[in-house]
Amino acid sequence: MKTNKNCMIALLLGLLTTTISSLAVANDTIIIKAVGTWGYFHNYPKHEGPFWNQHIADVSGGEIVGEIKPQDELGLRGFEIMRLLKNGVFDFAFGLPGYAMEEESEIFEGADLSSLVQNIAVQRRVADAYFPTLERAFAEKYNARLMILYPFPSQMIWCKQPVNTIEELQGRRIRVFLRTLADFVEGAGAIPVNMPYQDVPDALSQNTLDCIITGTMSAYNAELYKEMPYGFTLRVGWGLAFGAMNIDKWNRLSEAQKQLLEKEIAILTEQMWQETAKEDDKALACLSSGPCPIGEIGNMVLVEPSEKDLAIRDQIAKDVILPRWTERCGPECAANWNRSVGKILGLRAEARSQ
């Protein structure tokens, strides 16, 4: 406990004494202390970092000044983030629910249940439909105002040995990072191994994984094609992330400042969705035979799911993914999902028959 308190104090002091200390800040300037996702994935350096470290000060004429650092640079592994946001140590946080929410996280899974959505335009509709549900949950559980939902590049399956069908995943040890991904893996007859991304290199060197689930661009940037030269391009998730603000801090803003922040975050949201769609296509080209405008070609063998695979996926969704999530989240939660996301996907979340 003492170590955690010292860590929190060190984080707060670090945030207050870095770049903000070099700015000439007026007495009425609003300072936003933020934490981002991971510095080694593209969302932070391209979007999250520039937005808070520079853009918001520029568009507000210095009325709002932000500072953000990625969670890996701050030494955070995820679950601390929402507690720190709730307690006002951070004013704003970006994160993935599976990493950032330890307790009662079932409701937060609903916008990104594994393998249900293969198209990013449909995933955008799903995120928009589920936004009000998540907005209420953030406020009730974390004293936070949900401001943005945005995707990482789509999550796919990368393996050491060839994989041509879902059925060929049976018995393989597959890295996951969300319970819903584990549900899919188990539904496919494989073995889920839950671990954070930063632990994957050690697991590969120790030969404890046969496949990993991660995003397309993450796979390319990590040069997974050198360790796992086979990819199965079924989209098993989108890594849907959030941006949320401490409500007490939000309430300190003037109405004009709130409107400005909402406007700029809406622009940021659009940019991130568009960028992810482009990144997905670019990463898949770079992982396989090219062309690759950002580096070497990976020469990975990529196999697209067949109609039979999609039918098996549908069965796993109905028999495993949706029933398990319904049991975790409860009937009221499932009913709300059915009224919103379920209508878009033509699916129903129901508990298994006893």
Side-chain angles (χ1 to χ4, degrees):
M1 183 64 70
K2 184 176 180 181
T3 301
N4 289 339
K5 289 182 179 178
N6 289 340
C7 179
M8 288 174 60
I9 293 171
L11 287 172
L12 180 55
L13 290 175
L15 285 168
L16 290 173
T17 57
T18 52
T19 60
I20 285 180
S21 62
S22 66
L23 297 172
V25 178
N27 290 334
D28 57 351
T29 296
I30 296 292
I31 298 173
I32 305 292
K33 306 183 299 294
V35 57
T37 53
W38 300 272
Y40 44 80
F41 291 154
H42 80 285
N43 272 335
Y44 180 82
K46 284 193 174 182
H47 300 290
E48 301 165 15
F51 181 85
W52 283 116
N53 282 333
Q54 187 62 47
H55 178 75
I56 202 64
D58 291 344
V59 297
S60 70
E63 282 190 27
I64 304 174
V65 174
E67 181 188 315
I68 186 172
K69 289 186 178 181
Q71 65 180 53
D72 52 301
E73 186 176 328
L74 293 170
L76 299 173
R77 289 182 70 88
F79 291 149
E80 308 100 320
I81 290 174
M82 293 309 293
R83 290 196 291 267
L84 294 173
L85 181 70
K86 182 177 182 177
N87 294 329
V89 177
F90 293 117
D91 302 314
F92 194 99
F94 292 106
L96 270 70
Y99 280 99
M101 296 161 180
E102 186 172 19
E103 303 92 4
E104 301 182 70
S105 62
E106 296 83 3
I107 194 170
F108 300 101
E109 297 178 272
D112 193 18
L113 291 173
S114 181
S115 79
L116 302 189
V117 181
Q118 297 298 302
N119 180 285
I120 194 168
V122 176
Q123 181 59 35
R124 179 71 183 272
R125 291 175 60 204
V126 166
D128 290 344
Y130 205 63
F131 194 98
T133 298
L134 293 181
E135 190 174 36
R136 290 191 298 271
F138 270 86
E140 292 170 2
K141 297 180 184 297
Y142 295 108
N143 188 41
R145 179 183 175 86
L146 180 63
M147 305 288 289
I148 177 175
L149 291 174
Y150 63 101
F152 277 63
S154 60
Q155 309 295 302
M156 295 183 181
I157 303 170
W158 320 99
C159 296
K160 291 182 179 179
Q161 301 298 324
V163 53
N164 297 298
T165 68
I166 286 181
E167 293 168 312
E168 290 182 7
L169 295 173
Q170 291 184 20
R172 301 196 195 193
R173 299 162 298 176
I174 303 178
R175 177 262 177 172
V176 302
F177 59 92
L178 296 171
R179 281 182 293 181
T180 186
L181 293 175
D183 291 339
F184 170 81
V185 167
E186 289 183 344
I191 303 163
V193 182
N194 190 34
M195 68 172 59
Y197 191 83
Q198 58 262 42
D199 294 342
V200 167
D202 287 341
L204 292 178
S205 67
Q206 295 166 14
N207 199 34
T208 58
L209 292 174
D210 300 306
C211 307
I212 79 166
I213 291 174
T214 192
T216 53
M217 188 56 76
S218 302
Y220 179 75
N221 288 337
E223 299 182 343
L224 276 186
Y225 47 86
K226 296 180 179 179
E227 298 274 354
M228 296 189 159
Y230 302 97
F232 189 56
T233 61
L234 179 76
R235 288 180 166 90
V236 294
W238 291 91
L240 193 68
F242 65 85
M245 187 168 183
N246 177 277
I247 287 178
D248 297 331
K249 188 73 172 190
W250 172 260
N251 290 337
R252 295 191 191 110
L253 301 179
S254 68
E255 287 304 313
Q257 290 168 337
K258 290 176 181 177
Q259 290 175 14
L260 173 68
L261 197 53
E262 287 180 326
K263 174 188 172 185
E264 294 302 323
I265 286 180
I267 294 171
L268 177 66
T269 302
E270 191 62 36
Q271 291 172 342
M272 294 172 95
W273 280 91
Q274 292 182 9
E275 180 78 13
T276 291
K278 295 175 184 176
E279 291 284 304
D280 229 12
D281 293 339
K282 184 190 303 181
L284 288 172
C286 289
L287 285 165
S288 55
S289 57
C292 184
I294 56 175
E296 68 177 347
I297 294 172
N299 292 310
M300 184 180 277
V301 177
L302 301 184
V303 175
E304 294 184 6
S306 66
E307 290 299 318
K308 181 181 178 182
D309 289 316
L310 294 177
I312 293 172
R313 182 280 313 261
D314 291 345
Q315 203 62 46
I316 293 172
K318 293 175 183 176
D319 293 347
V320 182
I321 295 168
L322 286 169
R324 287 188 180 182
W325 178 71
T326 299
E327 290 170 3
R328 290 196 296 270
C329 207
E332 182 178 348
C333 179
N336 178 64
W337 189 91
N338 290 332
R339 288 191 298 267
S340 54
V341 177
K343 282 189 175 181
I344 293 172
L345 301 181
L347 294 169
R348 284 190 62 80
E350 296 177 328
R352 284 172 285 209
S353 300
Q354 299 298 321

